[in-house]
């Protein structure tokens, strides 16, 4: 996630307004006349590996109550009062043999029932702990739900939601929703996508500029303008039925200014607080810098992203536990296949390591990718699991976003070849993979929701676009494609984030074109769409791409050649980044090609003798399956 400035009111005004609302409107009352309370997580599961569960209970002066429950296998170990008397933290132990079911938690004051909550232990789905995450065999499609498709116009404006839909405002809500994604799963499946990363779907009930989803106001509720919790669960099921894994975007660094617990903080150190608004310096490099000052590190970790995004203090163990349990709750509840962690360096690194440990304790084969926006290989390597360049720190996260490779692709396909330019930019990134514990698990990309559209970056160069996509889908790593890339969507970040987050054409009733259909796309769009689709479909059947190692040869005369190898399967990729036709002497590659006789072009179906000379047209990338 990248910082975006918004016109929201000053922090102190926001907190004062929220406080006045809180004291003016007391909590709801049940039909029996007992004041209702909030308990999070709202339910849990029997049979989890970790027997400990910490419940956050919120109600007026709840700290003054005594708490009891009675259910076989469930023990209330203790209750913890904190600074704010409206909170209690209940530490519960769930025995391995505890059965699914419901039980009442009672809160008594002066021998009278002050609050009660019916808690449920649910039955885990069979094989839940054994779920498989995403891998280099997958291709991730990133979409922003508000900008993809509006499947249910009736939820564009919902009661109690502060911001209404305004499609004419590039920074406003446009009405895309879960229903729109569900209705277009066939489009993604037909394209060949195998994993779907959706920008945050949780409630962002703020007055303006929160369509992106990164200013959460309820960690257990899907934003009603996007759908319901049940809609999300059904989306995950439907996507998985079509062979598409679902990756949830999670944020541990901050929440939204209108979150209910920001309006009534449990403890003074629940968030970082300053005499006046203090913004982060956004210098994540400081955390791995052996010479960094404490001032710079603290400004990074404690500063806020923006006035509307309070910054969590994860050194508080209750904050850490709250966030960890929330992520496990969503994995289990929604049946997720993976998580994309927003702004990995910004929360305290010890919390991230503990989160990773606990998630993989429950789901050993799950997948997490951390967004570490660092453009230097060594600094990025610090954040991957089992880092060999760390100070002994282990994040426990198996995957990170490959920003150094992203930076290289911005120029590699459109500049003249040189010792360090053109294809050499790609080579030098890969040549530093020795810094990473597992470079094949890095998520690679040409663009995303925070940066220029790639077609804009390369000055709308169609051959460069096709070469870059071919490269992305055949090199090491887990490729991610930003929605609309297949349509040559354009946009520059410096014009505002709305310019890189245009609505998908055809996602709204009345759109002049429908790019979900072939006839709704231009000639150039269909050329790129078909190119991408053919690569994606072929990639699904390629063991060499899914599990193979990489062997590359230093770019020579403007041509970059690399191989992917797994067992007796070998794929050869030839990228000619010059304007001229090139004749390539394949004798240079005999250490890999020995034993193979022919090369099958996977795009054209033509077969060529492998030994001798190979001709490559200018500004093209060719992919060959080697045959014996």
């Amino acid at each position: 996630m990248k910082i975006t400035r918004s016109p929201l009111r000053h922090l102190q005004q926001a907190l004062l307004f929220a406080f006045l609302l809180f004291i003016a409107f007391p909590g709801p009352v049940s039909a029996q006349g007992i004041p209702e309370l909030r308990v999070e997580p709202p339910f849990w599961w029997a049979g989890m590996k970790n027997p400990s569960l910490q419940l956050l209970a919120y109600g007026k002066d709840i700290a003054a109550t005594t708490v009891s429950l009675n259910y076989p296998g469930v023990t209330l170990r203790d209750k913890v009062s904190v600074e704010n008397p409206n909170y209690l933290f209940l530490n519960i132990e769930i025995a391995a043999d505890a059965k699914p079911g419901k039980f009442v938690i009672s809160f008594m004051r002066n021998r009278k029932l002050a609050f009660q909550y019916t808690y449920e232990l649910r039955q885990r789905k069979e094989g839940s702990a054994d779920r498989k995450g995403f891998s280099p065999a997958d291709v991730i499609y990133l979409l922003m739900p508000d900008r993809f498709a509006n499947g249910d116009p009736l939820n564009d404006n919902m009661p109690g939601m502060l911001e209404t839909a305004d499609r004419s405002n590039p920074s406003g809500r446009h009405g895309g929703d879960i229903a729109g994604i569900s209705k277009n799963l066939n489009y993604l499946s037909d394209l060949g996508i195998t994993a779907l990363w959706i920008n945050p779907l949780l409630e962002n009930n703020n007055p303006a500029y929160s369509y992106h989803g990164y200013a959460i106001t309820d960690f257990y509720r899907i934003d009603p303008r996007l759908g319901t919790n049940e809609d999300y669960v059904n989306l995950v099921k439907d996507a998985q039925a079509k062979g598409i894994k679902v990756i949830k975007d999670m944020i541990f660094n901050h929440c939204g200014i209108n979150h209910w617990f920001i309006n009534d903080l449990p403890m003074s150190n629940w968030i970082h607080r300053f005499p006046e608004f203090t913004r982060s310096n956004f210098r994540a490099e400081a955390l791995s810098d052996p010479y960094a000052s404490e001032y710079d590190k603290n400004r990074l970790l404690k500063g806020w992203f923006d006035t509307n995004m309070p910054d969590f203090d994860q050194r508080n163990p209750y904050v850490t536990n709250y966030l960890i349990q929330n992520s496990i709750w969503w994995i289990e509840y929604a049946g997720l296949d993976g998580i994309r962690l927003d702004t990995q360096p910004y929360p305290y690194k010890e919390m991230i390591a503990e989160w990773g440990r606990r998630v993989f304790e429950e789901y050993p084969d799950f997948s997490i990718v951390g967004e570490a926006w660092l453009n230097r290989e060594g600094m990025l390597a610090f954040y991957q699991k089992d880092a060999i360049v760390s100070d002994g720190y282990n994040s426990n996260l198996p995957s990170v976003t490959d920003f150094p490779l992203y930076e290289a692709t911005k120029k590699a396909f459109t500049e003249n070849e040189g010792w360090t330019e053109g294809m050499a930019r790609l080579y030098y990134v890969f040549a530093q993979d020795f810094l990473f514990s597992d470079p094949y698990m890095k998520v690679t990309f040409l663009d995303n929701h925070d940066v220029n559209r790639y077609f804009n970056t390369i000055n709308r160069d169609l051959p460069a676009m096709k070469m870059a996509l071919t490269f992305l889908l055949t090199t090491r790593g887990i490729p991610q494609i930003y929605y609309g890339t297949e349509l040559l969507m354009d946009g520059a970040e410096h014009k505002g984030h709305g310019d890189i987050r245009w609505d998908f054409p055809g996602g709204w009733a009345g759109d002049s074109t429908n790019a979900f259909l072939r006839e709704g796309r231009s000639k150039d769009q269909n050329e790129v769409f078909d190119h991408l689709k053919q690569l994606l479909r072929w990639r699904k059947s390629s063991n060499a791409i899914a599990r193979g190692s990489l062997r590359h040869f230093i770019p020579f005369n403007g041509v970059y050649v690399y191989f992917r190898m797994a067992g007796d399967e070998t794929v050869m990729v030839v990228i000619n980044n010059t304007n001229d036709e090139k004749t390539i002497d394949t004798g240079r590659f005999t250490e890999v090609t020995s034993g193979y006789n022919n090369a099958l072009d996977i795009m054209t179906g033509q077969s060529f003798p492998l030994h001798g000379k190979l001709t490559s047209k200018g500004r093209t990338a060719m992919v060959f399956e080697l045959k014996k």
Side-chain angles (χ1 to χ4, degrees):
M1 178 180 171
K2 191 177 181 181
I3 180 63
T4 53
R5 300 175 190 277
S6 69
L8 298 183
R9 60 192 180 277
H10 193 272
L11 169 63
Q12 284 87 346
Q13 293 173 318
L15 290 173
L16 176 61
F17 174 71
F19 175 72
L20 292 174
L21 279 178
F22 175 75
I23 62 175
F25 300 100
V29 175
S30 72
Q32 293 75 29
I34 302 169
E36 294 184 0
L37 78 160
R38 180 186 289 265
V39 174
E40 294 181 345
F43 53 83
W44 201 247
W45 292 267
M48 300 296 279
K49 178 109 176 180
N50 186 348
S52 299
L53 175 66
Q54 186 174 88
L55 301 183
L56 180 158
Y58 177 71
K60 181 66 174 173
D61 292 326
I62 196 171
T65 65
T66 57
V67 185
S68 63
L69 60 87
N70 185 14
Y71 189 79
V74 178
T75 304
L76 176 61
R77 195 169 69 241
D78 62 5
K79 68 167 191 173
V80 181
S81 301
V82 292
E83 294 173 40
N84 188 331
N86 295 332
Y87 289 85
L88 269 181
F89 289 87
L90 308 180
N91 292 313
I92 289 174
E93 286 292 313
I94 304 172
D97 59 353
K99 305 298 183 185
K102 296 181 179 180
F103 56 91
V104 172
I105 305 176
S106 300
F107 300 80
M108 305 293 292
R109 183 188 298 119
N110 298 325
R111 298 184 180 182
K112 293 182 180 179
L113 186 63
F115 305 98
Q116 68 178 11
Y117 188 89
T118 301
Y119 207 81
E120 182 180 7
L121 282 183
R122 296 190 172 185
Q123 177 71 53
R124 298 185 75 183
K125 294 188 180 75
E126 185 177 354
S128 176
D130 301 322
R131 69 188 67 214
K132 306 293 182 184
F134 56 85
S135 74
D138 290 301
V139 177
I140 300 169
Y141 190 88
L142 161 63
L143 64 81
M144 182 159 282
D146 183 66
R147 303 301 169 88
F148 187 64
N150 189 348
D152 182 9
L154 295 179
N155 66 18
D156 288 359
N157 302 301
M158 296 294 287
M161 296 292 102
L162 298 175
E163 185 181 12
T164 56
D166 180 5
R167 203 174 171 203
S168 66
N169 179 4
S171 297
R173 288 188 174 269
H174 290 188
D177 50 27
I178 291 173
I181 301 171
S182 296
K183 289 180 180 179
N184 291 291
L185 285 175
N186 284 339
Y187 168 83
L188 299 175
S189 178
D190 181 64
L191 182 59
I193 296 301
T194 63
L196 185 58
W197 159 25
I198 307 171
N199 289 133
L201 291 157
L202 296 180
E203 181 192 277
N204 274 233
N205 195 13
N206 301 295
Y209 200 77
S210 61
Y211 70 89
H212 48 69
Y214 289 94
I216 294 170
T217 55
D218 192 327
F219 278 89
Y220 285 93
R221 184 193 190 200
I222 296 294
D223 194 296
R225 291 160 296 189
L226 298 173
T228 65
N229 285 20
E230 291 75 20
D231 291 335
Y232 181 58
V233 171
N234 290 331
L235 169 64
V236 174
K237 289 178 182 176
D238 292 345
Q240 291 170 342
K242 296 180 182 296
I244 300 174
K245 300 171 182 177
V246 178
I247 302 166
K248 195 172 193 303
D249 204 331
M250 292 189 174
I251 307 102
F252 293 162
N253 181 63
H254 53 263
C255 63
I257 193 70
N258 284 334
H259 193 290
W260 64 269
F261 57 45
I262 297 301
N263 295 337
D264 192 27
L265 287 172
M267 305 168 226
S268 58
N269 66 341
W270 193 260
I271 60 174
H272 292 117
R273 300 199 292 177
F274 304 87
E276 58 184 22
F277 173 72
T278 301
R279 196 182 298 278
S280 172
N281 59 12
F282 306 111
R283 289 290 193 175
E285 298 84 359
L287 294 185
S288 56
D289 175 6
Y291 313 112
S293 66
E294 290 301 313
Y295 174 87
D296 289 337
K297 288 190 285 187
N298 285 332
R299 184 66 182 263
L300 166 78
L301 292 167
K302 298 179 180 180
W304 289 24
F305 256 62
D306 202 1
T307 56
N308 63 326
M309 294 179 180
D311 195 85
F312 285 127
D313 188 344
Q314 300 87 6
R315 295 171 301 180
N316 181 326
Y318 296 96
V319 173
T320 289
N321 214 33
Y322 180 90
L323 295 171
I324 292 174
Q325 289 185 161
N326 176 256
S327 61
I328 292 173
W329 188 89
W330 278 109
I331 295 170
E332 193 71 24
Y333 172 64
L336 300 176
D337 301 290
I339 290 172
R340 178 265 186 182
L341 174 63
D342 185 61
T343 60
Q344 181 184 344
Y346 290 77
Y348 289 93
K349 63 181 184 179
E350 294 80 10
M351 179 266 170
I352 297 300
E354 176 63 8
W355 172 60
R357 185 192 69 78
R358 286 177 56 181
V359 167
F360 289 108
E361 176 185 53
E362 298 289 354
Y363 313 98
D365 296 320
F366 194 67
S367 292
I368 297 173
V369 55
E371 181 209 23
W373 196 329
L374 294 149
N375 298 328
R376 296 291 185 269
E377 288 80 1
M379 290 179 175
L380 178 62
F382 181 89
Y383 291 94
Q384 189 180 30
K385 176 184 177 182
D386 301 329
I388 58 177
V389 293
S390 73
D391 54 2
Y393 170 70
N394 193 334
S395 72
N396 292 319
L397 304 193
S399 183
V400 289
T401 45
D402 198 343
F403 274 93
L405 187 59
Y406 156 72
E407 288 292 331
T409 60
K410 286 163 65 175
K411 295 181 178 179
F413 296 97
T414 55
E415 67 183 355
N416 293 330
E417 290 294 307
W419 191 262
T420 58
E421 294 77 36
M423 295 295 94
R425 290 186 185 275
L426 310 178
Y427 170 79
Y428 284 120
V429 171
F430 294 137
Q432 296 178 79
D433 273 359
F434 65 88
L435 295 167
F436 292 86
S437 58
D438 188 354
Y440 293 90
M441 284 300 293
K442 290 193 281 184
V443 170
T444 57
F445 58 100
L446 302 176
D447 56 7
N448 62 27
H449 60 294
D450 283 329
V451 299
N452 277 17
R453 286 277 183 176
Y454 191 69
F455 197 50
N456 181 277
T457 297
I458 58 175
N459 297 315
R460 303 165 192 84
D461 185 327
L462 195 61
M465 190 73 178
K466 293 171 68 175
M467 286 193 292
L469 286 170
T470 303
F471 165 75
L472 180 70
L473 295 177
T474 57
T475 191
R476 65 99 176 105
I478 306 169
Q480 169 249 297
I481 296 168
Y482 186 33
Y483 83 97
T485 293
E486 70 274 26
L487 306 180
L488 301 174
M489 272 196 177
D490 202 347
E493 193 272 339
H494 73 270
K495 294 182 179 179
H497 278 176
D499 201 55
I500 57 175
R501 302 169 181 173
W502 292 111
D503 298 342
F504 194 104
W508 279 253
D511 281 358
S512 58
T513 59
N514 183 1
F516 287 110
L517 303 176
R518 186 171 190 83
E519 54 268 28
R521 300 190 287 264
S522 69
K523 178 178 178 295
D524 285 350
Q525 286 174 331
N526 274 320
E527 181 178 340
V528 170
F529 182 93
D530 292 345
H531 181 79
L532 181 59
K533 179 177 178 178
Q534 189 171 356
L535 282 168
L536 287 170
R537 293 194 157 204
W538 163 79
R539 195 181 191 279
K540 288 183 178 182
S541 63
S542 175
N543 191 50
I545 297 297
R547 284 168 279 279
S549 60
L550 172 68
R551 179 74 56 85
H552 68 171
F553 291 77
I554 296 173
F556 176 73
N557 203 19
V559 178
Y560 184 32
V561 178
Y562 57 90
F563 297 82
R564 302 296 306 279
M565 302 168 291
D568 60 356
E569 291 186 28
T570 298
V571 169
M572 176 182 183
V573 182
V574 178
I575 304 178
N576 180 357
N577 197 41
T578 73
N579 292 319
D580 304 319
E581 184 177 280
K582 297 288 184 179
T583 301
I584 301 161
D585 183 357
T586 60
R588 182 182 174 209
F589 316 122
T590 54
E591 64 186 82
V592 180
T593 60
S594 179
Y596 294 101
N597 297 313
N598 296 296
L600 177 67
D601 188 325
I602 65 106
M603 302 300 286
T604 66
Q606 291 182 287
S607 184
F608 302 90
L610 183 57
H611 302 295
K613 307 293 184 182
L614 181 67
T615 301
S616 172
K617 294 180 180 179
R619 309 297 310 290
T620 60
M622 297 186 295
V623 182
F624 300 100
E625 291 180 346
L626 301 192
K627 305 294 183 180
K628 294 184 178 180

